[in-house]
Amino acid sequence: MLEETLVLFKNIRNPKYDKSLAGYKKTGGFKSLKKVFGMKPEEVVQEVKESGVRGRGGAGFPTGLKWSFMAKGTGKPSYLVANADESEPGTCKDRELMLKDPHLFLEGLMIGSYAVGCHHAYVYIRGEFFPAIKILNAAVDELYADGLLGHDPLGSGFNLDITIHTGAGAYICGEETALLDSLEGKRGQPRVKPPFPAVSGFNGCPTSVNNVETLACLPFIFSDGGVESFK
């Protein structure tokens, strides 16, 4: 009988795991981010392409390919938005990751932000997820206090801020363009496409919207290798 290899839930299934920043670092946390900061953004995108990782929000679109569609040379800022709405009844995988291993998800968000040139990332979280909202805000505060967020984390020369934004409970905001409208303070409703968010997303700027689980996969790509490493 083959032994199960835990990946995303390896910390969550450990009863001794401390989900604080210090506890996450003891498991090797943020070593992948440090490695990524030593690469060029386009190299990070290529590595994610080659890993084969796909969007875990349901569509299954290749993540690295999605990033590569981001418009360049527009003179506008680029954004990465984490879709943590998870309003599909009976679905709670993202909730568990945010509740029990928040820094894994946030490290993935930071890796993705560097890859697409985003200096202000957003987490759009379902408004009813009160415990997860509290935990994520506390985790982000830890990152700022440690110097891993804000100006020049790990001496990278890259600046990054993260904002946790709570949704208003509308089911439709799980759709990425409705989510972006809601994030802008508008009524959440799907946009006509094209243009796609990669060209005109949040505030009319190039934007990638990625699922929580998708982002949580990223640290493993740079520490253990891509999908092929786990077959």
Side-chain angles (χ1 to χ4, degrees):
M1 183 177 178
L2 293 176
E3 184 177 347
E4 181 183 24
T5 300
L6 293 175
V7 182
L8 287 181
F9 274 32
K10 73 171 186 176
N11 291 333
I12 292 174
R13 296 279 182 87
N14 179 0
K16 297 180 180 179
Y17 176 59
D18 175 5
K19 62 188 176 187
S20 69
L21 177 57
Y24 181 61
K25 283 184 175 181
K26 287 180 182 178
T27 70
F30 291 101
K31 287 184 178 179
S32 290
L33 180 67
K34 185 175 182 179
K35 179 180 178 181
V36 163
F37 279 156
M39 303 168 66
K40 295 178 181 178
E42 56 268 28
E43 293 174 336
V44 179
V45 173
Q46 184 60 32
E47 185 113 353
V48 172
K49 274 186 183 179
E50 293 176 0
S51 77
V53 70
R54 291 174 175 267
R56 299 300 203 263
F61 195 82
T63 303
L65 185 60
K66 186 174 188 177
W67 289 351
S68 71
F69 292 154
M70 293 274 284
K72 300 172 180 64
T74 64
K76 300 178 180 179
S78 295
Y79 290 100
L80 182 65
V81 179
N83 186 344
D85 189 68
E86 198 170 46
S87 55
E88 190 67 36
T91 305
C92 56
K93 61 182 181 61
D94 296 341
R95 182 193 67 185
E96 290 302 290
L97 286 166
M98 292 185 288
L99 279 173
K100 298 175 181 176
D101 205 358
H103 287 290
L104 172 65
F105 156 55
L106 290 171
E107 182 180 11
L109 178 61
M110 295 166 76
I111 289 170
S113 296
Y114 178 75
V116 302
C118 166
H119 295 287
H120 192 162
Y122 289 85
V123 178
Y124 185 98
I125 185 169
R126 183 176 175 180
E128 295 90 342
F129 282 175
F130 301 117
I133 293 166
K134 183 178 179 180
I135 286 171
L136 282 180
N137 276 310
V140 168
D141 287 343
E142 281 189 294
L143 293 174
Y144 276 112
D146 194 69
L148 281 167
L149 276 178
H151 177 70
D152 194 28
L154 298 174
S156 61
F158 183 77
N159 302 330
L160 178 63
D161 292 300
I162 292 177
T163 295
I164 309 299
H165 179 94
T166 56
Y171 173 81
I172 194 60
C173 289
E175 194 278 331
E176 64 177 12
T177 60
L179 180 156
L180 292 174
D181 266 11
S182 178
L183 186 59
E184 292 175 7
K186 303 172 186 174
R187 179 181 178 181
Q189 53 187 6
R191 299 176 182 178
V192 175
K193 294 180 282 189
F196 292 92
V199 175
S200 180
F202 180 58
N203 287 334
C205 300
T207 304
S208 181
V209 181
N210 294 114
N211 177 259
V212 167
E213 186 186 356
T214 308
L215 295 168
C217 290
L218 300 181
F220 297 104
I221 292 172
F222 295 93
S223 62
D224 302 319
V227 173
E228 295 297 323
S229 301
F230 299 101
K231 288 185 177 179

